[in-house]
Structures are given as C-alpha cells and as structure tokens.
Amino acid sequence: MESIVLKEISKLRNGRAMYGDFVNNRYCVVLSESDGCSTAYCFSTPVYKSGTNMLLEPAFLKDGDVIHMEGSNAVVNIGRDISLRDKCGEVKIITDAAYEYLSEDEVRCADRRIYPSLNGITCSEACGDGKDIRLNLEVNEPTQIRVNDKCFAFMRGQYTPLMTVSCIGGVDGKGVVVAPAIIDYEQTGEMSYELTIRTSSGCAESVLFEINMYEPKLFQDTTVESNNPQCNNAFGGTAFIGNTEPYGEQWLYIRPDMSKIEDISGEYTEKALLHLPVYQKECQSLKIHSVSRRFCSFGSNWNNKVTSKLFSAGSMNANGYVSFDITKMYEDRALGYIIRPERKDGGFACLSTGDNYCRPIILELRTKD
C-alpha cells in the first residue's frame, strides 16, 4: 500500500517522479531534484512512526473481534468501544456497539463512518433532521480540559493535550464542507464527559470531526474571529477564513516552529510554498501577510490580534490545496503570518490548520546546499 504521505506529495508535484531518501526527520520527506537541488515537504504533524524510520501508512487491520490501527505515536483499537492510547494515557469512546470492518480505509457503525488519520481517527456521521452527534468519552485518570465551541481537549500539561476532538464541519451530499460544526460538553463523572456536536446548516447531510492523540506540531497557530472577539482556538483542526454566521470574520495566524526542521532551515532556501488543504472547493480569494511582531498562539484573539506588514501574497488553488508562494516573505518565518480574506464580502474558505491530523498543512522548501 502506498503511503498517504507520498500520495499527497505526488499531488503537489503534479505526478513528477520522486527520488531520494525519504527518511529525514519525523516531519519531513526530502527529495532530490534533477538540477541538483532538494525539495523538502514538511508536514504539520509527524509522518514517521515514533521511534522508527517507517513512513506512516495508516490502515485498519482486523484481528478477530478487534479492529486495530497504529498512528504516529498512538494505537487505536475498535471493539465494542473505541480506545486511543499512547505512552501518556488512554481515552475511550464508549459506544457498546458493533463496528463493521469495510476496508483498510473505513469502519462503519450505524450512521457513523470512521477513517484512519495520522494519529487517530476521522469520523463522519449523518445529521439529517437536526440530529445531534453524541460522544461519550472516558479518560484513564483525572485530567484538566481545554474547550471551546470548535475543539475539546484532555490536557496533560498547561499547553499540551493528551487527546483532542476537533470539529471539521457540516458536509453536504457532494462531500463539501458547507458550514461550521459546533461542539458542546457535559461532565458526567470524574473521568467521563458527553460531547454534543451539531451544525445549524440545513444543507449539511453529515458532520465531519476528528479524534486524535496529541503530537507536537510543526506549526503554532490559532484562528481569531469578530463574533467571538475573546475566543482563542489553538487546537482546532479547521479555519473558516472569511465570513460565516457563527464566527463573523475569521483570520488564521500561523507560524512554523523551525527548531523542528533546523537541519533543513539552515540551508539556502530558493523557494518556499505553504500548502493548506481545502475542504470547501469554491473557496474565495485569500491573502497571506507577514506579521509586524511575534504572536502567541494561546493568547491571541480578535481584540488583541497582531497587525500585519504591508507586504502580502495571493493564493493559488490546485490539487485540493490553497497554496501561497511565501519566498519573499520567508525571512519573517520566526514571526509568522496571517491568512485572511481579500474581500469582506467573499464568503469563506474552509482550510486545515496546523492541528489537523487528517489533512495536514505542508511547507515546501526548495533548497541548495
């Protein structure tokens, strides 16, 4: 089975041949080009299995009554319940239901379909007639939570999650995200919670969300929005950049953590491209701006947002990505960037953030030694 990581790189290369030693660090695949340069594809979440040089190939395997999958640092077991476990802890989704193995790429239980992600699962569940999606979670030891209307996280430190549940959005019959999905919660015991996920869009036939054990990310980011001017979204997996009814105008602040790829970032960069997977195909025109000073991904909101510099670059749409040529802005990488709509009346674009495990952001760097 070809790695999903290489499939995504092939899309960005328009099918051009790939040569080189794929093993570099946990976030990057480095390829050799015919002109002697190298191109590094740096993913927002690790694409190698922890402790090995194995490129990830997330797939469900059936072992008796249990369906099994291995992510970048976690193990998923699906039986009567769903267990996600790493060396720091375990979270269960309590269902007491029969899950049907359909393929390496899909498991089904009634209206819920489950797909592998790079360190957990992505779920799609029917939401017709105003149906709410309910998840009953149990963690193996008491822990703090961090929550907003987009993401729920069990925390193992002040800024480090154990596990996240993140809404992607309401999806129509063509598989396009047409509206945000909202998450709410109730604590039902010392170590148990019931989550409710819903979308208000009448066009949505299902809700898409993901559940993952945490991995440190290459990108530190957050959305900020005018309707919730004090809201921060450091661990949410999608951004609705532009204008929506729940959020008003939303921007994405994003900054690569270059210490994770310092073996590449120290070389001369000839070209730099930032690729964000798009969930809404008819996305509006977007621009990326350098920021005037460093921002805090945990403390930023609409009210205190950092301003941008005058220089900006427009977006390009191809192969399921919104891409930005940031070569001329790359010297500002330590400060970060803002992605925002070009116009205030142009609708919205639903894109992955740096915390998306299903369709991660990719930083493409073409370098010379």
Side-chain angles (χ1 to χ4, degrees):
M1 183 176 69
E2 183 185 2
S3 168
I4 186 174
V5 175
L6 298 184
K7 286 181 182 178
E8 292 307 304
I9 292 174
S10 182
K11 287 180 187 178
L12 294 176
R13 295 174 64 85
N14 293 311
R16 295 198 324 271
M18 293 184 281
Y19 304 104
D21 184 358
F22 296 152
V23 178
N24 190 65
N25 65 38
R26 294 193 68 215
Y27 298 85
C28 301
V29 172
V30 181
L31 304 180
S32 299
E33 305 293 357
S34 58
D35 60 1
C37 293
S38 296
T39 304
Y41 295 89
C42 309
F43 287 73
S44 54
T45 194
V47 293
Y48 294 91
K49 187 177 176 182
S50 179
T52 76
N53 292 329
M54 295 175 56
L55 201 61
L56 285 172
E57 298 177 356
F60 292 125
L61 302 174
K62 188 169 176 56
D63 183 11
D65 294 331
V66 177
I67 300 166
H68 174 81
M69 194 212 79
E70 293 189 9
S72 57
N73 76 356
V75 174
V76 178
N77 286 307
I78 303 175
R80 299 296 294 182
D81 302 317
I82 303 174
S83 164
L84 294 91
R85 176 173 46 84
D86 66 13
K87 64 180 181 180
C88 297
E90 180 183 21
V91 176
K92 289 184 177 180
I93 298 98
I94 307 301
T95 54
D96 192 28
Y99 286 86
E100 180 184 1
Y101 178 87
L102 299 180
S103 70
E104 291 181 335
D105 299 320
E106 186 175 357
V107 171
R108 180 175 62 193
C109 177
D111 289 336
R112 181 177 298 167
R113 293 179 179 269
I114 301 173
Y115 313 98
S117 75
L118 290 175
N119 205 37
I121 56 176
T122 302
C123 302
S124 173
E125 187 160 346
C127 65
D129 299 322
K131 174 191 170 186
D132 291 342
I133 313 303
R134 299 192 184 277
L135 295 175
N136 290 289
L137 305 181
E138 286 186 1
V139 65
N140 66 329
E141 60 181 41
T143 183
Q144 298 296 312
I145 64 170
R146 185 182 179 104
V147 63
N148 59 30
D149 64 355
K150 308 168 188 68
C151 182
F152 176 97
F154 286 120
M155 304 296 291
R156 57 182 176 89
Q158 184 176 2
Y159 301 113
T160 306
L162 171 68
M163 180 225 67
T164 58
V165 179
S166 179
C167 297
I168 295 175
V171 180
D172 68 10
K174 297 180 180 179
V176 177
V177 172
V178 293
I182 304 300
I183 195 167
D184 198 0
Y185 78 98
E186 178 183 357
Q187 185 166 1
T188 55
E190 184 183 12
M191 297 180 290
S192 60
Y193 293 78
E194 182 179 73
L195 307 190
T196 303
I197 303 174
R198 64 175 65 92
T199 180
S200 59
S201 173
C203 299
E205 296 185 5
S206 61
V207 170
L208 195 63
F209 56 97
E210 55 177 346
I211 307 171
N212 296 278
M213 301 304 282
Y214 181 72
E215 279 272 32
K217 298 301 187 300
L218 176 59
F219 294 97
Q220 298 169 354
D221 62 4
T222 184
T223 56
V224 300
E225 58 202 45
S226 60
N227 278 7
N228 303 293
Q230 294 183 314
C231 181
N232 177 268
N233 187 30
F235 298 122
T238 51
F240 286 79
I241 301 173
N243 287 273
T244 61
E245 185 175 343
Y247 304 146
E249 185 172 351
Q250 189 178 95
W251 301 357
L252 176 65
Y253 280 77
I254 185 166
R255 177 178 65 248
D257 178 359
M258 302 307 293
S259 67
K260 289 185 170 58
I261 53 171
E262 58 187 357
D263 50 336
I264 296 168
S265 59
E267 300 173 351
Y268 171 71
T269 301
E270 189 176 70
K271 196 169 191 64
L273 299 170
L274 184 63
H275 304 288
L276 287 83
V278 57
Y279 284 95
Q280 190 214 47
K281 295 178 182 177
E282 301 298 328
C283 63
Q284 62 162 25
S285 181
L286 304 174
K287 280 198 170 183
I288 190 167
H289 301 253
S290 292
V291 296
S292 57
R293 58 184 173 85
R294 193 177 178 92
F295 67 88
C296 174
S297 58
F298 289 97
S300 296
N301 57 50
W302 186 265
N303 281 345
N304 67 12
K305 61 185 183 294
V306 173
T307 58
S308 63
K309 292 183 178 179
L310 291 177
F311 187 81
S312 65
S315 60
M316 306 169 286
N317 302 341
N319 302 317
Y321 287 84
V322 170
S323 301
F324 300 92
D325 186 337
I326 59 171
T327 306
K328 294 180 180 179
M329 308 164 66
Y330 190 59
E331 63 182 21
D332 292 323
R333 60 192 178 273
L335 298 178
Y337 309 102
I338 310 169
I339 301 174
R340 65 190 197 193
E342 189 170 6
R343 306 189 315 273
K344 289 185 175 294
D345 59 349
F348 70 91
C350 180
L351 310 177
S352 292
T353 70
D355 282 272
N356 194 300
Y357 296 78
C358 172
R359 300 181 63 194
I361 292 175
I362 301 171
L363 175 64
E364 178 182 341
L365 300 176
R366 186 177 177 88
T367 60
K368 286 185 177 180
D369 294 335

